[in-house]
Amino acid sequence: MNPIVTFVRKVPLIEQIAVGLVIGILLAVFVPAAVPFVSIFGDLFVSALKGVAPVLVFILVMNAMIQRKSGGNTKMKPIVTLYIIGTFAASLVGVCLSFLFPVTLQLSVGNAKLNPPSGIAQVLHTLVMNVVDNPVNALLKANYIGILAWAVIIGLALHKVSNTETRKVFDDLSKGITIVVGWVIRFAPLGIMGLVTQSISASGLSALLSYVKLLGVLISAYFLVALVMNPLIVFLNIHRNPYPLVLTTLKESGIYAFFTRSSAANIPVNLSLCKRLGLDPDMYTISIPLGATINMAGASITISVLALAAANTLGIHVDLLTALLLCIISTVGACGASGVAGGSLLLIPVACASFGITNDIAMQVVGVGFIISVLEDACETALNSSSDVLFTATAEFAERARKGTLKAEDLTVKNE
């Protein structure tokens, strides 16, 4: 088994998922007798995700509250503000495109009990009641709103009373659960093979069309944010033509991130780019690693679009105020997304919970996310990582613009 394990570890996960996707399609079309057996892998994968996701969200959010530094560097506030604004604006773009081009998915609803909200008042009522749910019950029933709320509350309390040893324990717990999620996601190729086989067997090749449309909406949203929304944010801050800086970050950072599919792996590339842009190293050495954790515009798009796709599939009407609440939830969820591959997908149930969508159905949506992740994850990461440099530079250039020292050549890279 060692040579097999070694070979599997050497092949990138995204390529394994692509192979699983192709095999699943071929089995569903040419070997229908194998569907009942192969679909077991899909059920196991979704069940494993359902089991680990509530614990992941609870520990990661609680640890973030415990580890946060009081006060902090005030010079970082403009950058962090831009990160949050950019992430929220991205979710708005995703929601708007979902309203313009509604997507439905092939989901197995079965006898699941749905509690679709009748309006924003019921959404807020459900939200408040879920917040005050028993924390143990929230974990057992996968009440993600309650999980988030109690994680924040307990984390803030422990932040006030914890010592270095306690913080180290929770940091280790956070790293440990991230490793566990990584182990589960390593089985994604088999899970995707089972899910695709099951979906095509039940609905035919037409099931793939919904994936293509969903992927089209997502990629369109990524490009709109990268080429329209982000430039607008930059222009409002520096009052200069933003495109030299925007295109530079996309070329010098986004392309690398597209192929590495990891914001963390792209940190050295971003640090080098910041240096060539002539930025303050005291700032970008902090903001770039921070951005790889909390600046997740692409993730907010993925969460909001897939949550609305689930609502459309189930015939749930979403009004404008509920959509705005979804944008806020997507922004918060994206900022807390895990750094592992597919980390943003595991936050989809949080958004689905605001519509009264059960965890069983929400996890099927997560499975759909993994199916399209071959291309979606690359584009999402490219947007996330390039935005880290873009907003770090924007914050510093805005300060220079206020002082009257910003020059046109500052918006382009310098040679080493």
Side-chain angles (χ1 to χ4, degrees):
M1 289 294 292
N2 286 338
I4 298 176
V5 172
T6 302
F7 175 76
V8 169
R9 287 179 176 175
K10 287 184 177 179
V11 179
L13 179 63
I14 203 71
E15 294 181 12
Q16 295 180 38
I17 290 176
V19 171
L21 179 63
V22 173
I23 293 175
I25 295 172
L26 293 177
L27 287 175
V29 174
F30 298 108
V31 194
V35 171
F37 301 99
V38 178
S39 62
I40 293 174
F41 292 117
D43 293 338
L44 286 173
F45 181 59
V46 171
S47 296
L49 290 174
K50 285 165 56 179
V52 75
V55 182
L56 172 74
V57 173
F58 184 70
I59 291 180
L60 286 184
V61 174
M62 183 167 57
N63 182 61
M65 294 296 102
I66 295 172
Q67 305 296 341
R68 70 186 184 89
K69 295 181 180 179
S70 300
N73 190 339
T74 56
K75 292 185 178 180
M76 289 297 299
K77 289 184 179 179
I79 300 176
V80 174
T81 300
L82 286 173
Y83 283 167
I84 296 173
I85 291 174
T87 302
F88 180 75
S91 66
L92 281 176
V93 171
V95 167
C96 290
L97 279 185
S98 293
F99 274 110
L100 291 174
F101 306 100
V103 178
T104 56
L105 306 172
Q106 299 291 338
L107 303 176
S108 176
V109 178
N111 297 321
K113 295 181 180 180
L114 301 179
N115 300 300
S118 58
I120 186 63
Q122 186 175 348
V123 170
L124 292 175
H125 179 268
T126 302
L127 185 67
V128 172
M129 296 308 296
N130 284 337
V131 164
V132 297
D133 190 13
N134 182 291
V136 176
N137 185 62
L139 284 168
L140 290 175
K141 300 293 181 63
N143 168 15
Y144 286 91
I145 303 299
I147 291 171
L148 277 174
W150 283 110
V152 170
I153 293 170
I154 296 173
L156 289 174
L158 288 173
H159 175 75
K160 291 183 175 296
V161 300
S162 62
N163 53 30
T164 303
E165 289 75 15
T166 303
R167 296 185 182 189
K168 181 66 168 59
V169 168
F170 279 96
D171 187 52
D172 288 343
L173 279 173
S174 176
K175 292 176 181 177
I177 192 64
T178 299
I179 292 173
V180 171
V181 173
W183 289 342
V184 172
I185 291 177
R186 290 302 303 180
F187 289 93
L190 290 174
I192 297 308
M193 181 179 68
L195 291 171
V196 170
T197 303
Q198 190 176 40
S199 179
I200 294 178
S201 174
S203 307
L205 289 174
S206 61
L208 294 178
L209 295 178
S210 65
Y211 300 151
V212 172
K213 185 176 181 181
L214 174 63
L215 192 58
V217 171
L218 284 168
I219 293 178
S220 297
Y222 298 147
F223 273 89
L224 279 174
V225 170
L227 298 175
V228 178
M229 184 60 73
N230 281 354
L232 177 60
I233 294 173
V234 174
F235 173 77
L236 292 175
N237 280 272
I238 68 174
H239 307 292
R240 301 283 197 283
N241 178 10
Y243 283 98
L245 179 60
V246 169
L247 296 178
T248 294
T249 57
L250 289 174
K251 176 185 176 182
E252 301 285 338
S253 173
I255 292 177
Y256 285 100
F258 180 90
F259 290 103
T260 62
R261 295 181 174 88
S262 170
S263 294
N266 214 46
I267 287 176
V269 175
N270 283 349
L271 292 175
S272 174
L273 178 55
C274 287
K275 180 180 179 181
R276 288 183 289 137
L277 284 168
L279 303 181
D280 181 2
D282 291 338
M283 298 303 298
Y284 69 71
T285 53
I286 299 174
S287 67
I288 294 302
L290 180 65
T293 305
I294 69 169
N295 184 34
M296 296 290 178
S300 70
I301 292 173
T302 302
I303 294 170
S304 58
V305 170
L306 284 169
L308 280 176
N312 293 335
T313 302
L314 300 173
I316 298 174
H317 173 70
V318 181
D319 56 34
L320 291 178
L321 289 177
T322 304
L324 181 61
L325 180 62
L326 172 63
C327 290
I328 296 173
I329 293 174
S330 298
T331 301
V332 175
C335 291
S338 169
V340 300
S344 63
L345 299 177
L346 297 180
L347 273 298
I348 290 173
V350 178
C352 287
S354 63
F355 299 138
I357 297 174
T358 63
N359 190 46
D360 289 340
I361 297 175
M363 279 303 169
Q364 292 182 51
V365 181
V366 174
V368 171
F370 275 104
I371 291 173
I372 63 173
S373 67
V374 174
L375 185 57
E376 175 271 327
D377 185 55
C379 295
E380 176 185 314
T381 307
L383 175 60
N384 290 341
S385 191
S386 62
S387 298
D388 295 346
V389 180
L390 180 66
F391 291 140
T392 295
T394 298
E396 184 165 331
F397 291 161
E399 181 64 24
R400 295 186 197 176
R402 283 190 290 270
K403 295 179 179 178
T405 60
L406 180 63
K407 301 175 183 178
E409 55 266 27
D410 291 341
L411 304 181
T412 56
V413 294
K414 285 81 175 171
N415 294 324
E416 293 281 5

